[in-house]
Amino acid sequence: MTAPPSEEYEEFEEFEEFLRLSVDLTAFEETELLGTGLARRYLAKVRAACGDEIVTALLDAHRAARADAAGDAGRLDRIPLDRALLDRALRHRIFSDDRLGPVARNVIKLWYAGMWYALPPEWTDRYGAHAAGETSTVTAASYQEGLLWRAIGANPPGAKGPGYGSWAQPPRIEDRYLKGATK
């Protein structure tokens, strides 16, 4: 007979699942997200803003989407998953869901802009409002560490000075963000 998983282990597993969800939603690598130093705070913010039940449902839906993308083999460790299949599964299981879609979109905004935006009034009327659900920043570092700045190849104005003369060069957008756009 095995002992049930400890609370610490369950928190660790939930954090790992939140990281995998964030990787799939933002298209940034896990190491880049961990490098912001904000992943645990972001999970806590989502939990406080939406409630544990919604976070659990979001992570369950994400796990199911990854299983869908893994195909018949069902191997979630297949690296990388077929991105087109994963995108389709995320749209089907998360973004088209009235309860989970707005939360997932807010997780993306949280990572990119460093702000939690209040969920739409229709969402809070239906699923409940939480005090932490109002528009707010998580920490002062959230703005500086927003993925937006990395995605556009710029530094956040007023923070993280790029160095003397760097403004003479145009921002560089990595090819992975262009998706068929021409330079």
Side-chain angles (χ1 to χ4, degrees):
M1 185 171 163
T2 59
S6 69
E7 188 174 311
E8 290 173 356
Y9 179 78
E10 289 177 1
E11 286 179 15
F12 172 78
E13 281 295 312
E14 184 179 54
F15 177 69
E16 291 293 316
E17 289 184 25
F18 179 72
L19 265 179
R20 282 190 288 274
L21 169 71
S22 297
V23 166
D24 290 339
L25 294 179
T26 65
F28 275 82
E29 298 295 326
E30 184 177 312
T31 54
E32 293 172 299
L33 300 181
L34 287 171
T36 66
L38 296 169
R40 288 190 187 280
R41 287 180 167 222
Y42 285 175
L43 173 58
K45 179 63 179 181
V46 176
R47 195 182 289 142
C50 302
D52 290 339
E53 181 184 332
I54 298 290
V55 171
T56 299
L58 179 61
L59 296 177
D60 288 346
H62 176 251
R63 196 176 317 108
R66 289 187 65 86
D68 291 348
D72 294 335
R75 292 186 51 217
L76 296 177
D77 61 345
R78 187 172 67 185
I79 298 176
L81 290 174
D82 183 318
R83 189 65 206 185
L85 289 176
L86 180 59
D87 285 350
R88 188 176 317 135
L90 290 173
R91 284 189 181 99
H92 172 70
R93 295 215 180 244
I94 295 176
F95 290 110
S96 64
D97 186 282
D98 290 343
R99 185 174 61 146
L100 302 178
V103 176
R105 284 186 276 281
N106 265 20
V107 170
I108 295 169
K109 293 176 195 172
L110 182 61
W111 278 108
Y112 273 85
M115 290 202 54
W116 176 264
Y117 290 92
L119 289 160
E122 303 82 28
W123 192 94
T124 55
D125 288 347
R126 189 165 183 188
Y127 303 109
H130 296 264
E134 297 298 319
T135 299
S136 61
T137 57
V138 176
T139 72
S142 300
Y143 168 73
Q144 296 177 16
E145 296 299 328
L147 299 179
L148 160 72
W149 308 116
R150 295 177 193 195
I152 64 171
N155 287 339
K160 287 189 170 186
Y164 182 77
S166 62
W167 55 85
Q169 302 296 319
R172 293 173 309 231
I173 300 174
E174 292 181 34
D175 290 339
R176 68 180 173 156
Y177 302 113
L178 295 177
K179 271 197 170 176
T182 57
K183 290 183 180 180

